[in-house]
Amino acid sequence: MTNAADIDDHPVVVGITGASGSLIALHTIDALLDSGVPVVACASSAARIVWKQEMAESFGEALERWADSGIFSYHPASEIAAPIASGTFSTRGMALAPCSMATVAAVSQGLADNLIRRAADVTIKERRPLVIIPRESPLSVIHLENLTRLARLGATIIPPEPAFYLRQQTIADIAEYAAQRALLALGVISELPEGMRYGEG
């Protein structure tokens, strides 16, 4: 399997919002770093609150572990002057994982009132890959219209749904699958890992 990290050392931006599903963020960042892809992460204050509720590993511990890779950096959502706020800072794209409906709404309307939303706005205007892993259920017409608008702008929408044909057994299996689908959409990998393709479950 071709690892695109061999030909592109630009980072992927990962925005972590206050939606439920912190495990998705963890698996997405872990998968990127394991692939040798630099990561610039940004989390909102709400994301850190949700992380504390959902995760055994604290957010601070995760930051320290990721930093040990040597290819990871972090900015809080309030740091609007961070490099990822500018289109002159080259990236391979961005993943919003998980993505709240508030962030979906803001990004779909071009509102850039924090670093996560500004980085997503930059990703769209620079025509870089944008992956959105939305977390909400049920989805209202408002949510669907906002997601449709983002899809029309070129974003890839990846709901974190179970791949039932793989007979996934745990929430971690589902989160890992969503993370690998994100890597595929970002061009980090050229195909899903063995065991994650139809007929291999």
Side-chain angles (χ1 to χ4, degrees), residues 14 19 21 28 35 37 49 68 73 77 82 98-99 112 123 127 132 158 165 178 199:
V14 177
T28 300
S35 297
V37 177
I49 291 171
D68 286 341
S73 60
C99 189
T123 301
R127 300 184 182 273
I132 295 173
I158 304 177
Y165 51 84

Side-chain angles (χ1 to χ4, degrees), residues 28-41:
T28 300
I29 294 174
D30 281 351
L32 287 165
L33 295 177
D34 287 346
S35 297
V37 177
V39 171
V40 180

